[in-house]
Amino acid sequence: MTDRLATLLPRPRSARGLTGTFTFTERTSIVAGPGADGSTDLVRRALSFLRLPLPQRGTPELGSVVVTLDPAAHGPEGYQLLVRPDRLDIVAGSTAGATYAVSTLRQLLPEVAWRAAAARGTVWELACCEVTDAPATDWRGVMLDVSRHFLPKREVLRMIDLLAMHKLNRLHLHLADDQGWRIESARYPQLTELASHRPHTALGHGAEHSGHDGTPHGGYYTRADLAEIGAYAQERAVTVVPELDVPGHASALLAALPELGSVPGGKYEVQTTWGVFPNLLSPLPAVEQVVDELLGELLEVLPSPFVHLGGDECPLGQWEDNPEIQAYRESRGLPNMAALHGDFLRRLADRLAGRGVRAVFWDEAFGSGGLRPDSIVMAWRGDEVARKAAAAGFQVVRTPVFPTYLDYYSDDDPREPLAIGGPVRLADVAALDPRPAAFTEAENANVIGVQAQLWSEYLPHARLLDYRAFPRVCALAEVAWTGAPSTWPEEPERVRAQLSRLDAAGVEYRPLGDPKPWQRGGTGARAFRSGYPMAEVTRALDELAAEDNPEGLQPSS
Ligand code: TNX
């Protein structure tokens, strides 16, 4: 039984077996040790899968779970789990650390602990042990694109559970893009009336034209849903980072509020195909004001220390063609439209800062220059841009297409269901070094973490999301937690253990060998096509990033 210790994922800093066992029973109680007042509730909730009463007691008795908070001992997200025959101690740096301690404990129990209910009479016996653990990075994320294909709230909540299972602490929700706006607005009801659905969706790979499916698609989260998602995540030590992608990827927003556009009198539609569209929000102050209002509304229900403002893939033609925008650029003394792009994002970030919120951007925003120094840069166009942003002093989350874009094929196999390109194999994800030796120490000090992306052009529903996400997210979680490449895929016992936990949790992951017959692309609308080859994608993005204006890249004061 002690060998379960060797199967923990992510691998803890240290773990050793001790003699004896601890058993959770009807009589097991929970005790708040020093500093732990609020966290015993949290630990009780996290242990609810045991279906035991777990009464709270004032002093430890035989068989108690004792929770102590001590930020000095294990760092903000660290914990120690000490399991002895007569007592189980959780000493954590914070409520997050206590949550991770329970997650570790759950992995040490039989897999049935990951089912929604265990058979009556299940014996919850743990081998005694001591685990001391803390993450090596602060930002351990997964991004869900709920715009291209909407993901029902229940699936988002389930994904939060799966993040927590892997000690991932950021759920980045890409809530708006050209193909759909997913946020209820009290002030602008037309957003959900007009922008939250489309009449049909392109079939096949975006690089080809193979018609559409003739089926409407849509959905949105009500304000109450967003509040629920935020609260559910918080209970599991996950911070939801909402994204409103501006000024590009904004066709859906513009379909509802065309007056925010850069083309006077322009008409816009929610897009039904994939790619980069010319439609940009106008960078004028009146538009900044409306975006700020939308952000304010969103933060009322989904408070977060971080908001992502996108900034990616903005062809600036519509701004160039608009005399009012040209005049505005000149009035601000900005040399070109790229600088105005940076300036628009900067003004929005300043407004967020007024609310105590830090802005996060895709790396093109950094490429345009002029960002606030406290902005966080998600470097998706490769390692060079990650280095440059880190060298310029920005905190950077590494999100390179290779190997963190899990919307790409898992394998180069014609049985795979249609994806954008690739492949990004499990071994590639595991080999990611968050802080590579090629980066300077100063650059690496600014790398705050890594994140997996699940763009959903080719992820129409939650079953396929499971298939693309897992087990690649398992490897990413280990990389993020340990701050180093992971050997997990080459450790058969650990792989087997984690896949059985996923099975118990009902996750339809991609098996390590072949996809199951019903997971394949078949010959119809989702048949495999090779798509964009990975080497070409990474080369093209590196080249794009190299064209960024080198003078603009220092943070502005
Ligand atoms: C690039 S990454 C995009 C997304 C697409 C994704 C598909 C980024 C900031 N922009 O709009 O969904 O590629 O892999």
Side-chain angles (χ1 to χ4, degrees), residues 305 307 309 341-361 365-366 368-377 389 392-395 552-557:
V307 167
L309 293 172
H341 176 250
D343 172 77
F344 175 64
L345 296 171
R346 158 77 195 230
R347 281 179 276 134
L348 288 169
D350 284 341
R351 286 171 175 264
L352 284 178
R355 300 188 161 96
V357 174
R358 280 176 77 184
V360 187
F361 296 103
F366 158 70
S368 292
L371 293 186
R372 289 174 58 90
D374 65 352
S375 301
I376 296 173
V377 176
F394 292 102
Q395 290 197 328
L553 305 186
Q554 294 307 314
S556 65
S557 46

mmCIF file of all heavy atoms in Angstrom, residues 305 307 309 341-361 365-366 368-377 389 392-395 552-557:
data_model
loop_
_atom_site.group_PDB
_atom_site.id
_atom_site.type_symbol
_atom_site.label_atom_id
_atom_site.label_comp_id
_atom_site.label_asym_id
_atom_site.label_seq_id
_atom_site.Cartn_x
_atom_site.Cartn_y
_atom_site.Cartn_z
ATOM 1 N N PRO A 305 -8.257 38.819 -8.978
ATOM 2 C CA PRO A 305 -7.103 39.720 -8.980
ATOM 3 C C PRO A 305 -6.511 39.917 -10.374
ATOM 4 O O PRO A 305 -5.663 40.784 -10.570
ATOM 5 C CB PRO A 305 -6.095 39.022 -8.067
ATOM 6 C CG PRO A 305 -6.560 37.621 -7.908
ATOM 7 C CD PRO A 305 -7.997 37.551 -8.281
ATOM 8 N N VAL A 307 -7.440 40.089 -14.723
ATOM 9 C CA VAL A 307 -8.350 40.028 -15.870
ATOM 10 C C VAL A 307 -7.490 40.019 -17.123
ATOM 11 O O VAL A 307 -6.534 40.792 -17.242
ATOM 12 C CB VAL A 307 -9.336 41.214 -15.898
ATOM 13 C CG1 VAL A 307 -10.037 41.305 -17.249
ATOM 14 C CG2 VAL A 307 -10.379 41.082 -14.788
ATOM 15 N N LEU A 309 -7.042 40.741 -21.004
ATOM 16 C CA LEU A 309 -7.644 41.633 -22.001
ATOM 17 C C LEU A 309 -7.267 41.248 -23.430
ATOM 18 O O LEU A 309 -7.505 42.012 -24.365
ATOM 19 C CB LEU A 309 -7.224 43.086 -21.723
ATOM 20 C CG LEU A 309 -7.763 43.696 -20.422
ATOM 21 C CD1 LEU A 309 -7.122 45.055 -20.149
ATOM 22 C CD2 LEU A 309 -9.291 43.851 -20.484
ATOM 23 N N HIS A 341 -2.307 50.563 -30.355
ATOM 24 C CA HIS A 341 -2.788 49.267 -29.842
ATOM 25 C C HIS A 341 -2.308 49.082 -28.393
ATOM 26 O O HIS A 341 -3.098 48.792 -27.487
ATOM 27 C CB HIS A 341 -2.248 48.165 -30.767
ATOM 28 C CG HIS A 341 -2.546 46.756 -30.351
ATOM 29 N ND1 HIS A 341 -1.558 45.905 -29.899
ATOM 30 C CD2 HIS A 341 -3.699 46.038 -30.326
ATOM 31 C CE1 HIS A 341 -2.107 44.720 -29.620
ATOM 32 N NE2 HIS A 341 -3.404 44.773 -29.872
ATOM 33 N N GLY A 342 -0.985 49.303 -28.179
ATOM 34 C CA GLY A 342 -0.442 49.198 -26.822
ATOM 35 C C GLY A 342 -1.078 50.222 -25.884
ATOM 36 O O GLY A 342 -1.392 49.924 -24.730
ATOM 37 N N ASP A 343 -1.296 51.415 -26.413
ATOM 38 C CA ASP A 343 -1.845 52.505 -25.614
ATOM 39 C C ASP A 343 -3.292 52.210 -25.181
ATOM 40 O O ASP A 343 -3.668 52.436 -24.024
ATOM 41 C CB ASP A 343 -1.787 53.793 -26.463
ATOM 42 C CG ASP A 343 -2.514 54.955 -25.822
ATOM 43 O OD1 ASP A 343 -1.951 55.552 -24.878
ATOM 44 O OD2 ASP A 343 -3.645 55.278 -26.252
ATOM 45 N N PHE A 344 -4.090 51.676 -26.094
ATOM 46 C CA PHE A 344 -5.486 51.337 -25.771
ATOM 47 C C PHE A 344 -5.516 50.292 -24.645
ATOM 48 O O PHE A 344 -6.252 50.415 -23.662
ATOM 49 C CB PHE A 344 -6.168 50.796 -27.034
ATOM 50 C CG PHE A 344 -7.577 50.300 -26.830
ATOM 51 C CD1 PHE A 344 -8.595 51.160 -26.441
ATOM 52 C CD2 PHE A 344 -7.895 48.944 -27.040
ATOM 53 C CE1 PHE A 344 -9.897 50.690 -26.269
ATOM 54 C CE2 PHE A 344 -9.194 48.473 -26.867
ATOM 55 C CZ PHE A 344 -10.197 49.353 -26.480
ATOM 56 N N LEU A 345 -4.680 49.281 -24.797
ATOM 57 C CA LEU A 345 -4.642 48.213 -23.786
ATOM 58 C C LEU A 345 -4.130 48.762 -22.458
ATOM 59 O O LEU A 345 -4.612 48.404 -21.375
ATOM 60 C CB LEU A 345 -3.780 47.051 -24.291
ATOM 61 C CG LEU A 345 -4.342 46.356 -25.544
ATOM 62 C CD1 LEU A 345 -3.327 45.375 -26.119
ATOM 63 C CD2 LEU A 345 -5.659 45.640 -25.236
ATOM 64 N N ARG A 346 -3.174 49.644 -22.543
ATOM 65 C CA ARG A 346 -2.617 50.269 -21.346
ATOM 66 C C ARG A 346 -3.692 51.070 -20.593
ATOM 67 O O ARG A 346 -3.797 51.003 -19.367
ATOM 68 C CB ARG A 346 -1.457 51.187 -21.778
ATOM 69 C CG ARG A 346 -1.087 52.282 -20.814
ATOM 70 C CD ARG A 346 -0.295 51.672 -19.694
ATOM 71 N NE ARG A 346 -0.195 52.564 -18.557
ATOM 72 C CZ ARG A 346 0.950 52.856 -17.955
ATOM 73 N NH1 ARG A 346 2.077 52.363 -18.408
ATOM 74 N NH2 ARG A 346 0.957 53.622 -16.887
ATOM 75 N N ARG A 347 -4.520 51.825 -21.364
ATOM 76 C CA ARG A 347 -5.568 52.623 -20.698
ATOM 77 C C ARG A 347 -6.554 51.700 -19.979
ATOM 78 O O ARG A 347 -7.001 51.979 -18.866
ATOM 79 C CB ARG A 347 -6.278 53.503 -21.731
ATOM 80 C CG ARG A 347 -5.472 54.755 -22.104
ATOM 81 C CD ARG A 347 -6.182 55.606 -23.137
ATOM 82 N NE ARG A 347 -5.948 55.138 -24.508
ATOM 83 C CZ ARG A 347 -6.899 54.987 -25.436
ATOM 84 N NH1 ARG A 347 -8.165 55.235 -25.144
ATOM 85 N NH2 ARG A 347 -6.591 54.577 -26.647
ATOM 86 N N LEU A 348 -6.900 50.600 -20.619
ATOM 87 C CA LEU A 348 -7.818 49.653 -19.964
ATOM 88 C C LEU A 348 -7.174 49.037 -18.729
ATOM 89 O O LEU A 348 -7.816 48.859 -17.686
ATOM 90 C CB LEU A 348 -8.233 48.560 -20.952
ATOM 91 C CG LEU A 348 -9.199 49.016 -22.045
ATOM 92 C CD1 LEU A 348 -9.326 47.936 -23.119
ATOM 93 C CD2 LEU A 348 -10.570 49.354 -21.457
ATOM 94 N N ALA A 349 -5.876 48.719 -18.836
ATOM 95 C CA ALA A 349 -5.164 48.128 -17.699
ATOM 96 C C ALA A 349 -5.088 49.128 -16.543
ATOM 97 O O ALA A 349 -5.195 48.753 -15.375
ATOM 98 C CB ALA A 349 -3.770 47.682 -18.121
ATOM 99 N N ASP A 350 -4.920 50.411 -16.870
ATOM 100 C CA ASP A 350 -4.913 51.443 -15.820
ATOM 101 C C ASP A 350 -6.258 51.456 -15.094
ATOM 102 O O ASP A 350 -6.314 51.587 -13.869
ATOM 103 C CB ASP A 350 -4.653 52.829 -16.431
ATOM 104 C CG ASP A 350 -3.184 53.038 -16.813
ATOM 105 O OD1 ASP A 350 -2.313 52.288 -16.304
ATOM 106 O OD2 ASP A 350 -2.913 53.954 -17.617
ATOM 107 N N ARG A 351 -7.332 51.329 -15.865
ATOM 108 C CA ARG A 351 -8.647 51.326 -15.228
ATOM 109 C C ARG A 351 -8.812 50.075 -14.350
ATOM 110 O O ARG A 351 -9.376 50.145 -13.261
ATOM 111 C CB ARG A 351 -9.745 51.376 -16.291
ATOM 112 C CG ARG A 351 -9.882 52.766 -16.939
ATOM 113 C CD ARG A 351 -10.814 52.653 -18.118
ATOM 114 N NE ARG A 351 -11.126 53.924 -18.757
ATOM 115 C CZ ARG A 351 -12.225 54.637 -18.490
ATOM 116 N NH1 ARG A 351 -13.092 54.236 -17.581
ATOM 117 N NH2 ARG A 351 -12.455 55.762 -19.149
ATOM 118 N N LEU A 352 -8.308 48.955 -14.822
ATOM 119 C CA LEU A 352 -8.352 47.741 -13.986
ATOM 120 C C LEU A 352 -7.551 47.956 -12.709
ATOM 121 O O LEU A 352 -7.978 47.569 -11.613
ATOM 122 C CB LEU A 352 -7.784 46.534 -14.737
ATOM 123 C CG LEU A 352 -8.656 45.880 -15.807
ATOM 124 C CD1 LEU A 352 -7.887 44.732 -16.465
ATOM 125 C CD2 LEU A 352 -9.965 45.349 -15.214
ATOM 126 N N ALA A 353 -6.381 48.582 -12.864
ATOM 127 C CA ALA A 353 -5.524 48.822 -11.693
ATOM 128 C C ALA A 353 -6.279 49.651 -10.654
ATOM 129 O O ALA A 353 -6.128 49.436 -9.450
ATOM 130 C CB ALA A 353 -4.235 49.506 -12.120
ATOM 131 N N GLY A 354 -7.110 50.576 -11.132
ATOM 132 C CA GLY A 354 -7.932 51.382 -10.221
ATOM 133 C C GLY A 354 -8.874 50.508 -9.401
ATOM 134 O O GLY A 354 -9.341 50.908 -8.333
ATOM 135 N N ARG A 355 -9.166 49.332 -9.889
ATOM 136 C CA ARG A 355 -10.015 48.383 -9.149
ATOM 137 C C ARG A 355 -9.181 47.332 -8.435
ATOM 138 O O ARG A 355 -9.717 46.310 -7.960
ATOM 139 C CB ARG A 355 -10.948 47.648 -10.118
ATOM 140 C CG ARG A 355 -11.883 48.529 -10.884
ATOM 141 C CD ARG A 355 -12.878 47.642 -11.647
ATOM 142 N NE ARG A 355 -14.039 48.390 -12.029
ATOM 143 C CZ ARG A 355 -14.212 48.960 -13.220
ATOM 144 N NH1 ARG A 355 -13.287 48.822 -14.155
ATOM 145 N NH2 ARG A 355 -15.301 49.652 -13.482
ATOM 146 N N GLY A 356 -7.868 47.522 -8.427
ATOM 147 C CA GLY A 356 -6.998 46.555 -7.749
ATOM 148 C C GLY A 356 -6.779 45.279 -8.547
ATOM 149 O O GLY A 356 -6.418 44.243 -7.985
ATOM 150 N N VAL A 357 -6.984 45.358 -9.863
ATOM 151 C CA VAL A 357 -6.884 44.166 -10.703
ATOM 152 C C VAL A 357 -5.704 44.310 -11.662
ATOM 153 O O VAL A 357 -5.503 45.371 -12.256
ATOM 154 C CB VAL A 357 -8.194 43.977 -11.520
ATOM 155 C CG1 VAL A 357 -8.067 42.825 -12.511
ATOM 156 C CG2 VAL A 357 -9.373 43.754 -10.581
ATOM 157 N N ARG A 358 -4.937 43.244 -11.816
ATOM 158 C CA ARG A 358 -3.820 43.252 -12.764
ATOM 159 C C ARG A 358 -4.258 42.724 -14.123
ATOM 160 O O ARG A 358 -4.977 41.732 -14.207
ATOM 161 C CB ARG A 358 -2.683 42.359 -12.257
ATOM 162 C CG ARG A 358 -1.831 43.034 -11.215
ATOM 163 C CD ARG A 358 -0.798 42.082 -10.678
ATOM 164 N NE ARG A 358 0.325 41.904 -11.599
ATOM 165 C CZ ARG A 358 1.317 41.050 -11.379
ATOM 166 N NH1 ARG A 358 1.302 40.289 -10.296
ATOM 167 N NH2 ARG A 358 2.314 40.958 -12.215
ATOM 168 N N ALA A 359 -3.770 43.374 -15.166
ATOM 169 C CA ALA A 359 -4.112 42.949 -16.525
ATOM 170 C C ALA A 359 -3.152 41.865 -17.003
ATOM 171 O O ALA A 359 -1.964 41.884 -16.682
ATOM 172 C CB ALA A 359 -4.068 44.137 -17.469
ATOM 173 N N VAL A 360 -3.711 40.936 -17.762
ATOM 174 C CA VAL A 360 -2.932 39.883 -18.413
ATOM 175 C C VAL A 360 -3.155 40.063 -19.917
ATOM 176 O O VAL A 360 -4.257 40.423 -20.341
ATOM 177 C CB VAL A 360 -3.421 38.481 -17.975
ATOM 178 C CG1 VAL A 360 -2.507 37.392 -18.511
ATOM 179 C CG2 VAL A 360 -3.552 38.387 -16.454
ATOM 180 N N PHE A 361 -2.113 39.834 -20.713
ATOM 181 C CA PHE A 361 -2.231 39.995 -22.160
ATOM 182 C C PHE A 361 -1.547 38.852 -22.891
ATOM 183 O O PHE A 361 -0.558 38.293 -22.417
ATOM 184 C CB PHE A 361 -1.522 41.283 -22.618
ATOM 185 C CG PHE A 361 -2.133 42.541 -22.079
ATOM 186 C CD1 PHE A 361 -1.532 43.229 -21.029
ATOM 187 C CD2 PHE A 361 -3.298 43.061 -22.635
ATOM 188 C CE1 PHE A 361 -2.089 44.397 -20.532
ATOM 189 C CE2 PHE A 361 -3.859 44.231 -22.143
ATOM 190 C CZ PHE A 361 -3.255 44.901 -21.089
ATOM 191 N N ALA A 365 0.489 42.223 -27.233
ATOM 192 C CA ALA A 365 0.317 43.477 -26.509
ATOM 193 C C ALA A 365 1.683 43.985 -26.054
ATOM 194 O O ALA A 365 1.999 45.167 -26.166
ATOM 195 C CB ALA A 365 -0.598 43.270 -25.305
ATOM 196 N N PHE A 366 2.504 43.066 -25.587
ATOM 197 C CA PHE A 366 3.885 43.408 -25.231
ATOM 198 C C PHE A 366 4.624 43.886 -26.487
ATOM 199 O O PHE A 366 5.367 44.866 -26.462
ATOM 200 C CB PHE A 366 4.559 42.183 -24.605
ATOM 201 C CG PHE A 366 6.052 42.204 -24.678
ATOM 202 C CD1 PHE A 366 6.774 43.103 -23.903
ATOM 203 C CD2 PHE A 366 6.730 41.346 -25.527
ATOM 204 C CE1 PHE A 366 8.162 43.139 -23.983
ATOM 205 C CE2 PHE A 366 8.105 41.371 -25.606
ATOM 206 C CZ PHE A 366 8.823 42.272 -24.832
ATOM 207 N N SER A 368 3.498 45.448 -28.960
ATOM 208 C CA SER A 368 3.110 46.811 -29.350
ATOM 209 C C SER A 368 3.738 47.860 -28.458
ATOM 210 O O SER A 368 3.836 49.021 -28.826
ATOM 211 C CB SER A 368 1.586 46.957 -29.307
ATOM 212 O OG SER A 368 1.013 46.176 -30.321
ATOM 213 N N GLY A 369 4.127 47.465 -27.257
ATOM 214 C CA GLY A 369 4.822 48.377 -26.353
ATOM 215 C C GLY A 369 3.885 49.213 -25.499
ATOM 216 O O GLY A 369 2.674 49.256 -25.700
ATOM 217 N N GLY A 370 4.474 49.833 -24.473
ATOM 218 C CA GLY A 370 3.734 50.788 -23.650
ATOM 219 C C GLY A 370 2.887 50.189 -22.546
ATOM 220 O O GLY A 370 2.075 50.880 -21.933
ATOM 221 N N LEU A 371 3.065 48.898 -22.255
ATOM 222 C CA LEU A 371 2.241 48.288 -21.199
ATOM 223 C C LEU A 371 2.626 48.796 -19.810
ATOM 224 O O LEU A 371 3.761 49.220 -19.580
ATOM 225 C CB LEU A 371 2.415 46.765 -21.213
ATOM 226 C CG LEU A 371 1.880 46.015 -22.427
ATOM 227 C CD1 LEU A 371 2.011 44.517 -22.200
ATOM 228 C CD2 LEU A 371 0.419 46.375 -22.684
ATOM 229 N N ARG A 372 1.691 48.682 -18.890
ATOM 230 C CA ARG A 372 2.011 48.924 -17.473
ATOM 231 C C ARG A 372 3.032 47.881 -17.023
ATOM 232 O O ARG A 372 2.917 46.717 -17.387
ATOM 233 C CB ARG A 372 0.764 48.730 -16.597
ATOM 234 C CG ARG A 372 -0.309 49.762 -16.709
ATOM 235 C CD ARG A 372 -1.511 49.287 -15.876
ATOM 236 N NE ARG A 372 -1.115 49.086 -14.477
ATOM 237 C CZ ARG A 372 -1.168 50.035 -13.553
ATOM 238 N NH1 ARG A 372 -1.609 51.236 -13.848
ATOM 239 N NH2 ARG A 372 -0.791 49.786 -12.312
ATOM 240 N N PRO A 373 3.969 48.290 -16.173
ATOM 241 C CA PRO A 373 4.983 47.318 -15.733
ATOM 242 C C PRO A 373 4.402 46.134 -14.942
ATOM 243 O O PRO A 373 5.024 45.070 -14.888
ATOM 244 C CB PRO A 373 5.929 48.129 -14.850
ATOM 245 C CG PRO A 373 5.399 49.518 -14.789
ATOM 246 C CD PRO A 373 4.222 49.653 -15.698
ATOM 247 N N ASP A 374 3.218 46.288 -14.376
ATOM 248 C CA ASP A 374 2.656 45.169 -13.602
ATOM 249 C C ASP A 374 1.796 44.239 -14.466
ATOM 250 O O ASP A 374 1.145 43.328 -13.952
ATOM 251 C CB ASP A 374 1.849 45.682 -12.401
ATOM 252 C CG ASP A 374 0.609 46.474 -12.792
ATOM 253 O OD1 ASP A 374 0.443 46.772 -14.006
ATOM 254 O OD2 ASP A 374 -0.194 46.798 -11.900
ATOM 255 N N SER A 375 1.808 44.463 -15.776
ATOM 256 C CA SER A 375 1.031 43.574 -16.660
ATOM 257 C C SER A 375 1.696 42.204 -16.720
ATOM 258 O O SER A 375 2.921 42.095 -16.643
ATOM 259 C CB SER A 375 0.963 44.147 -18.076
ATOM 260 O OG SER A 375 0.364 45.422 -18.056
ATOM 261 N N ILE A 376 0.879 41.185 -16.878
ATOM 262 C CA ILE A 376 1.398 39.817 -17.030
ATOM 263 C C ILE A 376 1.300 39.447 -18.509
ATOM 264 O O ILE A 376 0.269 39.680 -19.148
ATOM 265 C CB ILE A 376 0.589 38.843 -16.154
ATOM 266 C CG1 ILE A 376 0.795 39.199 -14.670
ATOM 267 C CG2 ILE A 376 0.992 37.388 -16.441
ATOM 268 C CD1 ILE A 376 -0.083 38.427 -13.712
ATOM 269 N N VAL A 377 2.379 38.899 -19.050
ATOM 270 C CA VAL A 377 2.425 38.573 -20.471
ATOM 271 C C VAL A 377 2.332 37.059 -20.655
ATOM 272 O O VAL A 377 3.135 36.315 -20.081
ATOM 273 C CB VAL A 377 3.720 39.109 -21.110
ATOM 274 C CG1 VAL A 377 3.828 38.679 -22.573
ATOM 275 C CG2 VAL A 377 3.783 40.640 -20.988
ATOM 276 N N ALA A 389 10.090 39.426 -23.134
ATOM 277 C CA ALA A 389 9.154 40.045 -22.184
ATOM 278 C C ALA A 389 9.705 39.931 -20.762
ATOM 279 O O ALA A 389 9.627 40.882 -19.971
ATOM 280 C CB ALA A 389 7.782 39.386 -22.293
ATOM 281 N N ALA A 392 12.476 42.332 -20.275
ATOM 282 C CA ALA A 392 11.983 43.710 -20.140
ATOM 283 C C ALA A 392 11.363 43.946 -18.763
ATOM 284 O O ALA A 392 10.951 45.056 -18.448
ATOM 285 C CB ALA A 392 10.960 44.006 -21.234
ATOM 286 N N GLY A 393 11.278 42.906 -17.955
ATOM 287 C CA GLY A 393 10.811 43.083 -16.585
ATOM 288 C C GLY A 393 9.377 42.656 -16.338
ATOM 289 O O GLY A 393 8.868 42.795 -15.226
ATOM 290 N N PHE A 394 8.703 42.136 -17.369
ATOM 291 C CA PHE A 394 7.326 41.686 -17.157
ATOM 292 C C PHE A 394 7.292 40.287 -16.553
ATOM 293 O O PHE A 394 8.137 39.452 -16.883
ATOM 294 C CB PHE A 394 6.556 41.648 -18.485
ATOM 295 C CG PHE A 394 6.318 43.008 -19.064
ATOM 296 C CD1 PHE A 394 7.097 43.474 -20.109
ATOM 297 C CD2 PHE A 394 5.331 43.828 -18.545
ATOM 298 C CE1 PHE A 394 6.902 44.738 -20.640
ATOM 299 C CE2 PHE A 394 5.116 45.095 -19.067
ATOM 300 C CZ PHE A 394 5.904 45.550 -20.111
ATOM 301 N N GLN A 395 6.313 40.043 -15.718
ATOM 302 C CA GLN A 395 6.063 38.666 -15.310
ATOM 303 C C GLN A 395 5.455 37.937 -16.500
ATOM 304 O O GLN A 395 4.603 38.484 -17.211
ATOM 305 C CB GLN A 395 5.129 38.628 -14.104
ATOM 306 C CG GLN A 395 5.826 39.162 -12.855
ATOM 307 C CD GLN A 395 5.111 38.783 -11.579
ATOM 308 O OE1 GLN A 395 3.888 38.665 -11.553
ATOM 309 N NE2 GLN A 395 5.862 38.616 -10.505
ATOM 310 N N GLY A 552 9.695 49.714 -28.412
ATOM 311 C CA GLY A 552 8.493 49.913 -27.606
ATOM 312 C C GLY A 552 8.388 48.981 -26.429
ATOM 313 O O GLY A 552 7.455 49.065 -25.645
ATOM 314 N N LEU A 553 9.329 48.052 -26.287
ATOM 315 C CA LEU A 553 9.051 46.906 -25.430
ATOM 316 C C LEU A 553 9.301 47.121 -23.934
ATOM 317 O O LEU A 553 8.891 46.308 -23.129
ATOM 318 C CB LEU A 553 9.846 45.694 -25.926
ATOM 319 C CG LEU A 553 9.580 45.361 -27.404
ATOM 320 C CD1 LEU A 553 10.281 44.079 -27.792
ATOM 321 C CD2 LEU A 553 8.093 45.233 -27.694
ATOM 322 N N GLN A 554 9.985 48.183 -23.584
ATOM 323 C CA GLN A 554 10.177 48.405 -22.143
ATOM 324 C C GLN A 554 8.850 48.845 -21.533
ATOM 325 O O GLN A 554 8.074 49.549 -22.171
ATOM 326 C CB GLN A 554 11.236 49.501 -21.907
ATOM 327 C CG GLN A 554 12.632 49.100 -22.367
ATOM 328 C CD GLN A 554 13.093 47.771 -21.788
ATOM 329 O OE1 GLN A 554 12.940 47.528 -20.605
ATOM 330 N NE2 GLN A 554 13.644 46.901 -22.634
ATOM 331 N N PRO A 555 8.593 48.441 -20.304
ATOM 332 C CA PRO A 555 7.355 48.909 -19.671
ATOM 333 C C PRO A 555 7.382 50.420 -19.521
ATOM 334 O O PRO A 555 8.448 51.004 -19.336
ATOM 335 C CB PRO A 555 7.364 48.225 -18.308
ATOM 336 C CG PRO A 555 8.731 47.697 -18.101
ATOM 337 C CD PRO A 555 9.372 47.562 -19.439
ATOM 338 N N SER A 556 6.227 51.041 -19.669
ATOM 339 C CA SER A 556 6.183 52.493 -19.483
ATOM 340 C C SER A 556 5.847 52.778 -18.032
ATOM 341 O O SER A 556 5.277 51.946 -17.349
ATOM 342 C CB SER A 556 5.147 53.097 -20.405
ATOM 343 O OG SER A 556 3.872 52.645 -20.028
ATOM 344 N N SER A 557 6.230 53.934 -17.559
ATOM 345 C CA SER A 557 6.012 54.189 -16.121
ATOM 346 C C SER A 557 4.610 54.737 -15.877
ATOM 347 O O SER A 557 3.913 55.114 -16.786
ATOM 348 C CB SER A 557 7.054 55.158 -15.611
ATOM 349 O OG SER A 557 7.167 56.214 -16.525
#
